Amino acid sequence: MAAASFLPLHLPASPRLATIARAASGVVPAAVQTSQLEEAFGRKGLKFGTDATGAPTAELSVRNGSSLQVRLNDGLVTSYRPKVYWKDELSYREVLHTVAGADAVKGGVGLVLNDASSSSTSLLAGSEWSVTDADSDSYDAVQVELGCSAGKGGTLEVSYVVTLYELSMATAVIVKNNGSKPVELTSAVLSHIRFDKRRGTAVEGFQGCPYCSHPPPASGFALLTPAEAMKREESGWFGGGGEEPRQGAWTVEENLYTVLKKKVSRVYAAPPEERKKRIYNTAPSKFTTIDQYSGLGFRLIKMGFEDMYLSSPGGMYEKFGDDYFLCTGPASILVPVVVGPGEEWRGAQVIEHDNL
């Protein structure tokens, strides 16, 4: 499917570009695969290589020097470095918190696509991803499209498009059901956003929105497991513990700024019972991160998803380095998405900034 076909999702505008021929599929050594991809898709702003684990990657860059790296075997975005005005000068700032081990990479921005009949069953586990398309205008935008088959018998056709612009990055997913029966999906695009310090970490944009405590959807790239994310934190210097509502109990965000120095794991959304009404208030389509120490803020925008997941690790962040982080992003986990035979479902996330 051509990358230009994602324009109906209303991603940040970029010129329509020619479709590139598809690369040949097949299991080949990483070095050979990188060479083949470079020959088929390489261009200004798009290069192919490998990461510390030896997995093939695509490196995207645009004219102002902003860059992004995505792993091709699972679609995990491991780095996003936009150009920003920071510490009284123009610089490049890493937005994502990623932890690389000897044989695994976690954190970053990743796609979750699970079978609604079992919250722990990933439809993407074991899928063979491949580069199916690429676009670039050589100046202001570059895009790579990945694809795989998922579900029982490979009946789900998944397209995942990662796009870099000068002031934003976008990840978009299309799931097409080629089977004869409807499927129920829970899904999310979860981002691990990096912060300088635990204090001064907050978000703006959820005031007046209902939320409930809820574990994150299970994923192979998560830094905290669902059990760890929901574990109560002992009261101490940063507070915590009893302030969070019990799972399934709804409350409304009263604060203009949601401070996230203690551990939380929440879904901001219209309660499922409210969605049975003909008219109801949906969750905000965007919110802004606040890092008091760096002075930088980033907007996260959702499209096609009903919920917004938001969590902070509290004191557990020290297991994953010196930087604090949030795990957040658009999701559809409270009410599964039903995709009928021959139908498509689309969703997207954009991270953008105006820190210039």
Side-chain angles (χ1 to χ4, degrees):
M1 181 175 294
S5 66
F6 281 84
L7 290 178
L9 282 172
H10 304 296
L11 297 180
S14 65
R16 180 166 179 160
L17 304 167
T19 301
I20 310 301
R22 294 176 182 266
S25 61
V27 179
V28 294
V32 176
Q33 183 178 1
T34 298
S35 177
Q36 292 176 343
L37 290 169
E38 193 69 41
E39 181 178 354
F41 299 106
R43 65 199 46 233
K44 186 174 182 179
L46 179 59
K47 295 182 179 181
F48 296 91
T50 56
D51 65 11
T53 67
T57 63
E59 298 179 10
L60 288 64
S61 61
V62 289
R63 178 170 50 177
N64 74 346
S66 297
S67 63
L68 177 153
Q69 184 180 81
V70 56
R71 286 163 50 99
L72 302 181
N73 58 355
D74 56 10
L76 184 67
V77 179
T78 57
S79 176
Y80 171 44
R81 293 175 58 85
K83 186 176 184 178
V84 296
Y85 189 75
W86 180 55
K87 292 187 176 180
D88 299 324
E89 63 181 7
L90 290 173
S91 181
Y92 299 95
R93 174 79 171 178
E94 180 59 65
V95 176
L96 305 181
H97 189 68
T98 307
V99 177
D103 56 357
V105 178
K106 295 189 176 184
V109 178
L111 172 65
V112 179
L113 192 64
N114 292 340
D115 183 349
S117 64
S118 175
S119 60
S120 61
T121 302
S122 170
L123 293 171
L124 299 176
S127 297
E128 294 185 4
W129 293 73
S130 62
V131 180
T132 58
D133 212 345
D135 277 337
S136 171
D137 67 0
S138 301
Y139 292 103
D140 301 319
V142 61
Q143 185 175 77
V144 63
E145 179 179 348
L146 308 178
C148 72
S149 297
K152 295 181 180 179
T155 56
L156 297 182
E157 179 184 333
V158 181
S159 297
Y160 191 56
V161 175
V162 178
T163 310
L164 175 67
Y165 301 93
E166 288 194 323
L167 299 179
S168 64
M169 65 158 285
T171 48
V173 59
I174 291 181
V175 180
K176 183 177 181 180
N177 182 7
N178 292 323
S180 59
K181 298 180 180 180
V183 294
E184 296 187 357
L185 308 176
T186 55
S187 58
V189 176
L190 296 182
S191 303
H192 294 78
I193 307 297
R194 174 181 170 184
F195 290 80
D196 277 3
K197 296 181 183 296
R198 186 177 178 183
R199 287 187 177 274
T201 299
V203 297
E204 179 184 6
F206 287 122
Q207 188 176 35
C209 181
Y211 72 88
C212 68
S213 293
H214 198 282
S219 66
F221 60 86
L223 292 177
L224 294 181
T225 66
E228 288 174 331
M230 292 296 290
K231 185 178 180 180
R232 292 275 179 158
E233 189 170 40
E234 296 295 329
S235 298
W237 181 260
F238 288 97
E243 296 181 22
E244 282 295 290
R246 62 179 176 82
Q247 185 175 348
W250 287 86
T251 188
V252 174
E253 180 63 70
E254 299 179 346
N255 301 308
L256 176 62
Y257 302 107
T258 305
V259 179
L260 294 167
K261 60 189 177 184
K262 69 182 185 70
K263 183 190 290 184
V264 303
S265 182
R266 301 172 175 175
V267 171
Y268 284 84
E273 287 298 317
E274 286 291 310
R275 302 183 202 184
K276 296 178 181 179
K277 299 178 181 178
R278 190 169 64 89
I279 299 176
Y280 62 90
N281 292 324
T282 60
S285 61
K286 61 182 178 181
F287 69 89
T288 302
T289 65
I290 298 172
D291 188 338
Q292 181 178 342
Y293 285 87
S294 71
L296 299 177
F298 294 87
R299 282 183 296 277
L300 274 78
I301 303 169
K302 70 179 176 71
M303 305 170 192
F305 294 92
E306 287 287 333
D307 316 329
M308 191 73 86
Y309 177 75
L310 178 67
S311 73
S312 54
M316 290 190 71
Y317 84 96
E318 295 175 337
K319 291 176 54 179
F320 309 101
D322 296 330
D323 298 315
Y324 201 61
F325 64 92
L326 302 181
C327 175
T328 185
S332 290
I333 53 180
L334 297 181
V335 178
V337 173
V338 179
V339 185
E343 295 181 349
E344 291 183 348
W345 171 78
R346 301 183 175 210
Q349 172 187 264
V350 178
I351 301 177
E352 67 177 12
H353 75 96
D354 52 11
N355 296 300
L356 292 176

